[in-house]
């Protein structure tokens, strides 16, 4: 089990950040071209750096905590780290931007597949002001007036 802990933790990171895509509409997985373009420069630099560090024996990986699957000199888990953690970071970044946008937009929140949370404008012909919302003082007074006039 120790040999798969790293992979399990990375899988957990992906599972825990998946709602950012599905519920908040971060749109990272739905924009694969943008995702690849964002990750390629980082992968080129850090994978090269990592391989050089391994070959020069600046660092190593305990066989107890890695699966034993290697891609060249690099353990599979290290490659997965450089894929998973940046994706989780991008999901978080995009989700925060989405929440800020949702907070600034008028309308009520609604969930719409596949967009996630969206703001929905009130139907045309209705006023979105709080004066007409149920439970507000003007709405209560209006209801009381209607009851008096009908009875």
């Amino acid at each position: 089990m120790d040999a798969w802990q790293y992979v399990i933790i990375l899988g957990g990171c992906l599972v825990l950040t998946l709602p950012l895509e599905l519920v908040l509409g971060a749109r990272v997985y739905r924009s694969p071209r943008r995702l690849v373009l964002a990750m390629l420069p980082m992968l080129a630099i850090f994978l090269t750096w990592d391989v050089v560090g391994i070959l020069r024996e600046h660092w190593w990986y305990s066989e107890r905590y890695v699966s034993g699957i290697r891609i060249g000199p690099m353990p599979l888990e290290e490659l997965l780290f450089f894929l998973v953690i940046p994706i989780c970071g991008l999901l978080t970044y995009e989700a925060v931007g989405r929440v800020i946008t949702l907070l600034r937009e008028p309308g009520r929140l609604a969930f719409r597949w596949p967009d996630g949370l969206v703001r929905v404008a009130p139907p045309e012909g209705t006023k979105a002001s709080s004066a007409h919302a149920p439970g507000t003082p003007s709405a209560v007074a209006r209801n009381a007036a209607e009851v008096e006039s009908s009875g």
Side-chain angles (χ1 to χ4, degrees):
M1 183 64 174
D2 283 346
W4 294 100
Q5 285 179 1
Y6 200 178
V7 172
I8 291 167
I9 289 170
L10 291 173
C13 290
L14 288 175
V15 168
L16 289 173
T17 56
L18 189 59
L20 300 176
E21 177 79 11
L22 299 177
V23 176
L24 292 179
R27 305 193 67 79
V28 171
Y29 293 125
R30 293 178 236 181
S31 305
R33 184 174 179 273
R34 287 179 56 206
L35 176 60
V36 168
L37 289 174
M39 295 200 41
L40 277 178
M42 176 276 306
L43 287 171
I45 292 168
F46 286 108
L47 290 176
T48 301
W49 176 49
D50 212 47
V51 168
V52 169
I54 293 168
L55 293 175
R56 290 186 171 183
E57 297 180 356
H58 291 291
W59 55 83
W60 61 95
Y61 302 90
S62 171
E63 294 301 320
R64 178 178 176 189
Y65 297 109
V66 294
S67 65
I69 301 170
R70 293 190 172 271
I71 298 161
M74 183 182 301
L76 172 67
E77 292 82 357
E78 190 69 358
L79 175 63
L80 292 176
F81 172 85
F82 284 119
L83 294 171
V84 169
I85 299 306
I87 288 173
C88 293
L90 285 169
L91 280 164
T92 303
Y93 178 81
E94 291 295 330
V96 168
R98 184 78 183 117
V99 167
I100 290 170
T101 300
L102 288 170
L103 290 173
R104 291 181 177 166
E105 291 177 345
R108 65 178 177 80
L109 281 176
F111 181 82
R112 185 181 320 156
W113 182 258
D115 299 322
L117 286 178
V118 295
R119 286 284 183 180
V120 178
E124 286 191 36
T126 63
K127 294 191 178 192
S129 73
S130 62
H132 297 286
T136 59
S138 63
V140 171
R142 191 173 59 252
N143 290 341
E146 288 172 5
V147 169
E148 285 179 17
S149 67
S150 67

